[in-house]
Amino acid sequence: MARSGAGVTALPMAVVLLAVVATVAVHAAAGGGGGKMASHGEGTNLKASSAPAPAGGSAGQFRGQARLPRFAAPRRYELHLRPDLVAFTFSGSVAIAVAVSASTRFLVLNTADLSVDRASIRFQALAPTEVVFFKEDDVLVLGFGKLLPLGEGVLKMDFNGTLNDEMRGFYRSQYQYKGKARNMAVTQFEPVDARRCFPCWDEPAFKAKFKLTLEVPSELVALSNMPVANTLVAGPIKTVRYQESPLMSTYLVAIVVGLFEYVEGVTSQGTRIRVYTQIGKSSQGKFALDIGVKSLDLYKDYFGTPYPLPKLDMVAIPDFAAGAMENYGLVTFRDIALLFDDKSSSASSKQDVAITVAHELAHQWFGNLVTMEWWTHLWLNEGFATWVSHLAVDSFFPQWNIWTQFLDSTTNALKLDSLEESHPIEVEIHHASEVNQIFDAITYDKGASLIRMLQSYLGADRFQKALASYIKKYAYSNAKTEDLWAVLEKETGEPVKDLMSTWTKQKGYPVINAKLKGINMELDQAQFLLDGSSGPGMWIVPITSSCGAYDSPKKFLLKLKRDKLVIASQCGDRKKGGNFWTKLNINGTGFYRVKYDDELAAALQNALETKKLSLMDKIGIVDDSHALSMARQQTLASLLRLLYCYRGEADFSVLSHVNSVTTSIAKISVDATPGLAGDIKQLLIKILLSPAEKLGWDPKNGESHLDVMLRPLLLFALVQLGHGKTINEGVRRFNIFIHDHNTSLLPPDTRKAAYLAVMQNVSSSNRSGYNALRKVYRESAEGEERLLVLGILSSCRDKGIVLESLNLIFTNEVRNQDAYIAISGVQIEAREIAWNWLKENWERISKTFSASSLVGVFVKAIVPLFSSNEKAEEISKFFATRTTPGFERTLKESLEIVRINARWVEGIKSEPGLAQTVRELLGKP
């Protein structure tokens, strides 16, 4: 699954976090027995169910269990659904072939938000004598009057549900067709929401075959995982039966019903691929189709296994909480994550579509064919899909330098994993309500970074062959992390399990302290934490090093807390004033930071200035220095001196990281050194201005994809820093654009910078620019354009404008899935306005977004803007009685960032030479 906001911003997967109370009603069938269905309250005592099947006992023994019992398992589902797109309801029936493997009188499965007809429930000819629903666990317990026969039997029941507007389970989405609002029905089941569509064993290890039948309006397109077997039209309703699926987990079942058109292609092995879009937008699916065809062909060879289904559909959905979802054979996407138009889309959007499509199609092998055994091993799905999507896109577009850009993922993970509130990659999941919290940068980005580190250690060829063996061994079944390590060890002969377990079973990562001592470099590892403390972690660290050049890199495993690296043979004489330098963690393949002693750091800075370092190493040095400064292990002055070495840089990826650091410094200086903040901003402008002026506002014939992406990055950064000339030019071009949307003066790539420039002059008494932007938002037919504007509207210091922009999320102008975009632009000067707004509207926000992890995004967007312990305490008190499992981890992480910022502020205030350093650098030619 691609996280929320693919193509806009990276967020944790947002499907469901806050449990809506489920109801299981009782309907007496004609002539059938009724009776009350017991509904029990809150359950505690979360334990894994590993005991033998209970022959007797009560239903209560299944309450509060982490997982469903194993004494009965589904083998095949026959599912019949009838969605009503007018009343927003659906009815259905299911017949489940269940294998009973131990003596029991119970069947235990999942259901939520469904009304089950008790009178319809039968296992073979047996009616249950006891039907109990534990709503806090989404568990339905069926008790029978006698022991169930061992072997396979069929469980049948009828049910009804609501096509909800929560973007989870079986839900409704709205779109426009011929000027009128139309509804479609869509499923989103990962991680634990198949149970909201039909009663099932809703855990990844309970793989089964699925045979679906849909009754839908005749004029609509009805899609599912498998091709259509046959269709029967009876007036306004058609019955569509689909071919039976291979073994798959419930979270991968998918249904989409609506009006669509499509473009189509075929892979080299003859698999049909289609991209479905709203009517009139099929041309925008051609780029994704091309990536899809290429991806299936590449993965077939890389994993050594053909794509296992007869077709693959990709569908753009208007309302979609995540970025995309890898349903077997029917992949669903947000519009912006699938559609691309040469005239109206940006270069970064094109790249995002390519990576998202490649990510979801990688899941067809890593996730769908071979599935994690339990959510603890989610990183096997998401880490691998994130990593291999970059491998695929690098193959398709080598000129994009995608592996250099991959360091964005590593940086995201390093930031989160340096918090005390981080979590291991393999995190214990004790209850379904906890699953959504781990769809984060640890699971995706750290997971992918560790795979890159392991591939670098083992070598690309050995790694690929071992992965292919793993896929073949566990095809159509489930695997744990240890299963992957076992295959890799067997295939390569390397101690993979011992090495990698230190990275997956504990949170955090080390900082390697490097000191020169004679002919040796002494290395010391300690867990790195942004709060300045040192944790207890110890790792087996694959160390790589180069000295003076990249032609003879050195590798070794650091297994102890302290060790030494003999560098004399690698470096030769270290003559004073020579070109000696040494770099650890070459090209950032290792998941750790490095802190060099003064001599090594000075030599590296000289190598940086004399252009001796690779692009990836330029990124690693500035990222490490920024983190060390935040942790008060280096001064801000030393970080600024290092940043100044990048003033002549021209590479997109490097400047992207430099820009992230300058943004962080500009924000913290407002609190740490308010009297110096203006000069610091001028220094940061000086660092970024030269490459920005070289690129200018206007695209040039033949320029590279990376330069096209760099231009808006730099222009936006300069506007943020308050560069008057850039702001004025942005406003000038916007004023032309609002009268002529086809002007060449403001193509899609540079509009965001111009929009931000306009907002710099907006106030309650000067609304013209704001009103013009609102008009662009309302009238644009392009999703990317609308989101660009939405993300800018709150980027203002005026209280009235900020509040008006934030309140848009409560109107029908903003889809719930896009609410986080509307709050993402709040500037540090308006943080108090935003915080007060959040407090005053918290109950409304909690209710409006109650079934979505988007609730946590409000906290994540606003809370970390602060940098005082007093504010952290105030925020903590406010949420003391308002925290739910849906955003508890996000709140703790956000509060920790506030306290880290507060500590950084105190450190900067005590730096004696900071002002002198800023003046010195400003005075340099």
Side-chain angles (χ1 to χ4, degrees):
M1 177 181 289
R3 288 161 289 183
S4 303
V8 185
T9 184
L11 293 173
M13 192 284 296
V15 184
V16 216
L17 284 181
L18 304 179
V20 172
V21 176
T23 60
V24 180
V26 180
H27 301 279
K36 287 282 185 180
M37 179 177 288
S39 180
H40 291 251
E42 292 298 314
T44 53
N45 185 30
L46 303 178
K47 297 177 182 176
S49 178
S50 56
S58 69
Q61 64 192 302
F62 304 108
R63 180 182 181 183
Q65 301 297 304
R67 300 176 65 171
L68 295 174
R70 265 43 190 172
F71 52 72
R75 293 289 180 258
R76 182 174 182 269
Y77 291 81
E78 286 203 20
L79 177 61
H80 194 122
L81 292 170
R82 296 168 290 277
D84 185 330
L85 291 170
V86 177
F88 302 137
T89 60
F90 64 91
S91 59
S93 60
V94 66
I96 311 171
V98 180
V100 179
S101 57
S103 180
T104 183
R105 69 179 189 87
F106 295 101
L107 292 177
V108 185
L109 62 161
N110 297 115
T111 181
D113 295 349
L114 295 177
S115 183
V116 176
D117 180 358
R118 173 171 179 165
S120 71
I121 302 174
R122 291 287 185 279
F123 182 68
Q124 299 297 73
L126 297 174
T129 56
E130 195 178 1
V131 181
V132 181
F133 178 63
F134 298 112
K135 66 179 180 181
E136 71 278 6
D137 299 319
D138 297 343
V139 166
L140 180 65
V141 181
L142 306 177
F144 296 86
K146 62 179 183 178
L147 294 179
L148 302 178
L150 298 182
E152 197 167 291
V154 177
L155 173 66
K156 295 182 178 181
M157 66 185 81
D158 300 333
F159 53 90
N160 296 287
T162 300
L163 287 174
N164 66 70
D165 59 355
E166 299 164 359
M167 295 182 288
R168 63 169 178 174
F170 201 10
Y171 72 94
R172 62 185 186 264
S173 178
Q174 194 172 83
Y175 60 101
Q176 294 289 318
Y177 178 63
K178 294 184 177 179
K180 292 184 178 180
R182 297 288 297 264
N183 299 304
M184 66 173 68
V186 187
T187 56
Q188 170 58 50
F189 291 162
E190 190 181 26
V192 290
D193 290 304
R195 64 191 66 178
R196 298 178 197 281
C197 181
F198 59 100
C200 58
W201 276 256
D202 199 13
E203 295 181 9
F206 285 111
K207 283 193 168 183
K209 296 181 178 181
F210 291 83
K211 193 167 187 180
L212 270 66
T213 300
L214 298 178
E215 288 184 31
V216 298
S218 299
E219 75 276 10
L220 299 184
V221 175
L223 304 171
S224 190
N225 306 84
M226 298 297 290
V228 172
N230 59 71
T231 302
L232 178 64
V233 178
I237 299 295
K238 64 182 177 183
T239 301
V240 186
R241 293 182 176 85
Y242 299 89
Q243 296 176 19
E244 185 171 276
S245 77
L247 288 169
M248 57 192 277
S249 303
T250 49
Y251 78 88
L252 296 169
V253 176
I255 297 163
V256 177
V257 181
L259 274 176
F260 298 103
E261 61 184 26
Y262 63 85
V263 287
E264 183 179 280
V266 180
T267 69
S268 62
Q269 72 177 76
T271 303
R272 188 203 78 204
I273 301 183
R274 287 177 177 174
V275 174
Y276 284 87
T277 72
Q278 292 179 43
I279 304 297
K281 292 189 175 183
S282 59
S283 63
Q284 296 182 29
K286 290 179 179 178
F287 177 68
L289 176 65
D290 181 55
I291 298 298
V293 171
K294 290 177 178 176
S295 293
L296 287 197
D297 283 337
L298 184 145
Y299 294 148
K300 168 180 64 73
D301 296 334
Y302 190 83
F303 294 123
T305 300
Y307 173 69
L309 298 188
K311 63 92 176 176
L312 176 77
D313 295 329
M314 296 186 280
V315 191
I317 307 297
D319 297 282
F320 199 76
M325 176 60 208
E326 67 267 19
N327 313 300
Y328 224 170
L330 177 57
V331 186
T332 45
F333 296 77
R334 277 189 183 208
D335 286 353
I336 196 173
L338 185 67
L339 306 182
F340 174 79
D341 185 280
D342 281 320
K343 295 178 181 178
S344 62
S345 301
S346 63
S348 60
S349 175
K350 183 176 187 177
Q351 186 173 290
D352 288 337
V353 168
I355 290 175
T356 304
V357 170
H359 178 109
E360 302 309 328
L361 299 200
H363 275 309
Q364 305 301 307
W365 284 263
F366 236 104
N368 298 7
L369 183 61
V370 179
T371 311
M372 74 228 153
E373 193 274 337
W374 179 240
W375 298 106
T376 293
H377 311 283
L378 175 65
W379 84 278
L380 285 177
N381 280 17
E382 300 302 350
F384 263 93
T386 301
W387 172 79
V388 86
S389 65
H390 285 75
L391 180 132
V393 173
D394 183 59
S395 171
F396 309 150
F397 303 101
Q399 70 275 20
W400 288 4
N401 276 4
I402 208 71
W403 282 117
T404 306
Q405 295 189 57
F406 176 83
L407 291 183
D408 289 342
S409 297
T410 302
T411 298
N412 287 337
L414 288 168
K415 285 177 181 176
L416 181 52
D417 212 21
S418 59
L419 301 182
E420 182 62 42
E421 290 295 339
S422 184
H423 63 83
I425 275 187
E426 292 184 78
V427 60
E428 284 301 315
I429 298 296
H430 300 293
H431 197 274
S433 63
E434 301 173 10
V435 178
N436 281 275
Q437 294 190 81
I438 63 169
F439 283 80
D440 62 5
I442 300 299
T443 297
Y444 286 75
D445 298 328
K446 182 178 181 179
S449 299
L450 293 189
I451 295 304
R452 179 172 177 252
M453 180 172 75
L454 182 59
Q455 186 214 29
S456 175
Y457 174 73
L458 295 177
D461 290 341
R462 285 204 299 172
F463 186 70
Q464 178 186 355
K465 289 175 184 175
L467 273 189
S469 296
Y470 169 79
I471 293 290
K472 284 185 172 70
K473 181 173 182 178
Y474 290 99
Y476 299 107
S477 62
N478 299 79
K480 300 179 180 180
T481 300
E482 290 76 14
D483 298 323
L484 175 62
W485 299 156
V487 172
L488 290 172
E489 276 199 2
K490 181 181 177 183
E491 295 291 327
T492 65
E494 297 286 351
V496 175
K497 182 180 178 182
D498 289 345
L499 165 65
M500 295 306 294
S501 292
T502 67
W503 296 94
T504 63
K505 291 188 179 299
Q506 63 179 334
K507 67 183 178 183
Y509 59 88
V511 56
I512 307 299
N513 293 285
K515 297 179 181 178
L516 275 179
K517 198 161 187 179
I519 63 170
N520 298 326
M521 183 187 297
E522 293 187 345
L523 304 178
D524 174 277
Q525 67 161 299
Q527 183 175 351
F528 179 77
L529 290 166
L530 267 180
D531 66 6
S533 64
S534 181
M538 275 279 293
W539 290 264
I540 298 176
V541 188
I543 299 288
T544 54
S545 69
S546 280
C547 193
Y550 288 94
D551 51 3
S552 56
K554 195 166 186 175
K555 295 183 178 183
F556 88 107
L557 288 179
L558 176 63
K559 298 180 179 180
L560 307 171
K561 178 167 175 53
R562 292 182 182 85
D563 208 336
K564 60 186 178 183
L565 182 63
V566 180
I567 61 173
S569 59
Q570 190 184 23
C571 295
D573 289 335
R574 302 196 317 271
K575 293 181 179 177
K576 201 167 184 179
N579 289 322
F580 160 78
W581 57 268
T582 188
K583 172 73 174 60
L584 298 183
N585 194 14
I586 303 169
N587 291 330
T589 55
F591 194 77
Y592 56 90
R593 296 198 183 279
V594 183
K595 181 183 179 184
Y596 300 93
D597 67 10
D598 290 344
E599 182 181 352
L600 288 168
L604 264 180
Q605 191 158 318
N606 181 60
L608 182 64
E609 292 220 63
T610 54
K611 302 187 180 349
K612 300 288 176 56
L613 301 181
S614 70
L615 296 176
M616 289 182 179
D617 282 340
K618 289 179 182 180
I619 290 169
I621 289 170
V622 73
D623 277 345
D624 284 354
S625 186
H626 178 220
L628 290 166
S629 178
M630 288 186 70
R632 292 177 60 175
Q633 294 184 32
Q634 286 184 3
T635 63
L636 178 59
S638 67
L639 175 58
L640 289 172
R641 288 186 185 278
L642 177 68
L643 275 175
Y644 197 75
C645 299
Y646 291 83
R647 65 195 179 281
E649 183 57 56
D651 178 77
F652 165 76
S653 294
V654 176
L655 283 171
S656 176
H657 286 258
V658 168
N659 175 55
S660 294
V661 176
T662 61
T663 301
S664 172
I665 293 171
K667 286 180 178 178
I668 205 69
S669 66
V670 171
D671 293 322
T673 58
L676 195 60
D679 285 346
I680 288 176
K681 282 189 176 183
Q682 289 307 308
L683 175 59
L684 301 177
I685 287 170
K686 184 178 179 183
I687 292 168
L688 298 175
L689 190 57
S690 174
E693 288 181 335
K694 184 177 179 182
L695 286 171
W697 279 83
D698 298 308
K700 297 174 177 61
N701 289 333
E703 66 184 352
S704 71
H705 167 81
L706 292 175
D707 278 348
V708 174
M709 297 225 299
L710 178 58
R711 177 178 291 109
L713 176 101
L714 292 174
L715 292 175
F716 190 84
L718 290 174
V719 173
Q720 271 189 316
L721 290 168
H723 185 240
K725 185 177 178 182
T726 305
I727 292 172
N728 292 339
E729 182 62 13
V731 171
R732 184 185 77 84
R733 288 172 181 256
F734 176 77
N735 288 334
I736 295 171
F737 168 76
I738 58 174
H739 294 105
D740 177 15
H741 281 14
N742 295 317
T743 178
S744 62
L745 290 176
L746 204 60
D749 288 289
T750 52
R751 285 177 194 170
K752 186 177 179 181
Y755 296 166
L756 183 64
V758 170
M759 287 303 299
Q760 304 311 295
N761 299 321
V762 162
S763 68
S764 295
S765 59
N766 179 22
R767 293 178 53 95
S768 59
Y770 182 76
N771 292 340
L773 278 170
R774 288 283 300 276
K775 188 169 186 286
V776 171
Y777 176 77
R778 286 192 299 269
E779 294 179 356
S780 176
E782 301 302 327
E784 182 180 351
E785 175 82 358
R786 287 169 58 81
L787 293 184
L788 273 184
V789 177
L790 187 61
I792 292 296
L793 291 177
S794 61
S795 300
C796 180
R797 301 184 185 190
D798 185 278
K799 180 178 181 180
I801 295 294
V802 172
L803 291 177
E804 184 176 341
S805 300
L806 295 176
N807 284 328
L808 283 174
I809 69 165
F810 302 124
T811 71
N812 58 11
E813 284 191 51
V814 178
R815 292 180 184 266
N816 283 359
Q817 66 174 17
D818 299 328
Y820 73 93
I821 299 290
I823 61 173
S824 65
V826 173
Q827 298 181 345
I828 195 168
E829 293 83 0
R831 61 190 170 183
E832 202 65 53
I833 300 167
W835 169 235
N836 288 328
W837 171 84
L838 186 66
K839 288 189 294 184
E840 291 167 8
N841 290 282
W842 185 252
E843 301 308 320
R844 188 175 183 184
I845 288 168
S846 299
K847 184 177 180 181
T848 305
F849 303 96
S850 61
S852 167
S853 64
L854 296 178
V855 170
V857 179
F858 289 87
V859 173
K860 193 175 182 179
I862 294 171
V863 171
L865 294 173
F866 293 99
S867 56
S868 75
N869 290 320
E870 295 76 16
K871 184 58 70 171
E873 187 62 28
E874 177 193 330
I875 293 167
S876 184
K877 283 182 179 178
F878 175 79
F879 283 113
T881 58
R882 296 174 172 88
T883 306
T884 71
F887 68 93
E888 184 176 8
R889 188 188 296 276
T890 299
L891 176 63
K892 288 180 178 178
E893 291 167 355
S894 298
L895 286 170
E896 186 177 350
I897 291 170
V898 175
R899 295 186 178 103
I900 288 167
N901 286 342
R903 187 175 177 274
W904 193 19
V905 164
E906 292 306 311
I908 294 170
K909 283 181 176 177
S910 64
E911 276 191 44
L914 179 60
Q916 182 182 342
T917 297
V918 173
R919 285 193 294 270
E920 177 190 328
L921 294 174
L922 275 173
K924 281 191 172 185

